[in-house]
Amino acid sequence: MNDTLVTLVGCVATQIDYKEMATGPSARFRFAVTPRYFDRRKEAWADGPTSFYTVWARRVLAVNLAGSVAVGEPLVVHGRLRVRDDPPDGEGNRWFSADIDAIAIGHDLNRGTAAFRRVVKADPPLMLTQKAAVV
């Protein structure tokens, strides 16, 4: 109930890492988000510092993500923000990382076009008792 939901607009920074797990399909990739603003002193558009997020997708979203997205493509990602605080390493450095548990991912249509293809679910296989009754 108290999750932090975010929507980010950016580009795919790494290849999709897709894996079949015991709990179902899983995919992840790094996502680069660079804010753009108008610099009044220079009277020109400028880029701010880039932030990187690890985006996680599960189940059907992971399968469709792996078959639809490539490095460099602009996306819109909506999901739950998770900030991790890793323990200090041997040199005393602390690391923080931001992960997004994706709910929805799509191409940014402000920057290009996309062709949607609906995935048709296959009928579940008949059980042996059902096959015997049919024959």
Side-chain angles (χ1 to χ4, degrees):
M1 280 302 223
N2 293 324
D3 286 338
T4 302
L5 294 176
V6 295
T7 301
L8 303 171
V9 178
C11 289
V12 179
T14 63
Q15 289 184 341
I16 307 301
D17 180 18
Y18 176 82
K19 293 182 181 174
E20 289 284 341
M21 311 287 279
T23 57
S26 178
R28 70 178 176 158
F29 65 96
R30 296 286 285 164
F31 192 56
V33 177
T34 305
R36 196 153 171 78
Y37 65 95
F38 188 77
D39 187 337
R40 292 181 189 207
R41 287 179 294 173
K42 296 179 182 177
E43 294 190 15
W45 287 96
D47 289 338
T50 301
S51 297
F52 289 90
Y53 301 86
T54 300
V55 177
W56 294 88
R58 312 265 192 258
R59 296 176 289 286
V60 174
L61 181 58
V63 174
N64 292 340
L65 173 72
S68 303
V69 173
V71 174
E73 293 183 349
L75 297 180
V76 177
V77 173
H78 179 72
R80 292 174 191 86
L81 175 65
R82 306 270 188 244
V83 177
R84 291 185 299 148
D85 178 9
D86 293 332
D89 62 11
E91 298 175 8
N93 298 321
R94 274 179 90 172
W95 295 97
F96 294 90
S97 62
D99 293 357
I100 308 296
D101 290 329
I103 296 170
I105 300 173
H107 285 101
D108 182 359
L109 298 181
N110 278 315
R111 300 179 42 205
T113 62
F116 181 78
R117 291 179 307 277
R118 185 173 303 277
V119 175
V120 178
K121 292 183 181 180
D123 290 331
L126 293 175
M127 297 178 67
L128 291 177
T129 56
Q130 291 174 328
K131 288 181 183 177
V134 172
V135 175

